[in-house]
Amino acid sequence: MDKKALGNFGENVVAYYLEKKGYRILKRNFTVKGGEIDIIAEKDGIIAFVEVKTRAPDPLVNGFEAVTASKKRRIIRTSEKYSYRFPHDLQPRFDIVWVTVSGRKVTGFRYIENAFDLSK
């Protein structure tokens, strides 16, 4: 599986997980100049901006370490652009998911709600 297919596979896994948890997927791969958010979902007054990192087993950099301070700032700016374009009164939350995949099988899954906020 190439890098793009691996990423798409991981995002599909996370979208399915969120839907099973009762979230409504608002947007996938929301892209603006300077940033992208993998999944935007809402539930119970929360809008979750979700960054998905899909890795093969034993990566050099794990999925959480891959979300650097500059990546977090880009996600925050992109979430602001989304909220401007699609006004809402939901409370924002920034989540990171690390999916480990071997072949076409998920071998690891870690979801961190509130992984970072506007102050970080």
Side-chain angles (χ1 to χ4, degrees), residues 2-99:
D2 68 16
K3 189 175 179 177
K4 182 159 178 61
L6 183 68
N8 288 337
F9 182 80
E11 289 174 16
N12 288 338
V13 168
V14 174
Y16 178 79
Y17 169 83
L18 288 168
E19 288 174 334
K20 288 295 180 188
K21 291 282 201 176
Y23 286 82
R24 182 169 65 100
I25 305 298
L26 300 175
K27 201 79 163 162
R28 291 191 54 184
N29 302 112
F30 176 74
T31 306
V32 295
K33 185 176 181 179
E36 179 198 18
I37 297 174
D38 296 322
I39 299 172
I40 302 171
E42 70 91 11
K43 177 184 175 185
D44 299 334
I46 300 287
I47 185 166
F49 298 98
V50 183
E51 176 67 13
V52 179
K53 291 297 183 187
T54 308
R55 299 283 189 263
D58 302 317
L60 293 176
V61 177
N62 77 43
F64 300 127
E65 291 170 340
V67 184
T68 62
S70 64
K71 176 69 174 174
K72 291 174 185 175
R73 285 190 300 273
R74 283 195 306 274
I75 292 169
I76 289 167
R77 280 195 305 271
T78 304
S79 74
E80 291 168 345
K81 291 176 182 178
Y82 175 86
S83 297
Y84 179 78
R85 193 176 295 173
F86 303 100
H88 59 81
D89 59 356
L90 302 168
Q91 177 66 39
R93 189 181 76 206
F94 299 95
D95 302 349
I96 302 174
V97 189
W98 175 12
V99 181

Side-chain angles (χ1 to χ4, degrees), residues 94-109:
F94 299 95
D95 302 349
I96 302 174
V97 189
W98 175 12
V99 181
T100 306
V101 175
S102 181
R104 296 205 55 85
K105 182 179 178 184
V106 175
T107 58
F109 187 94

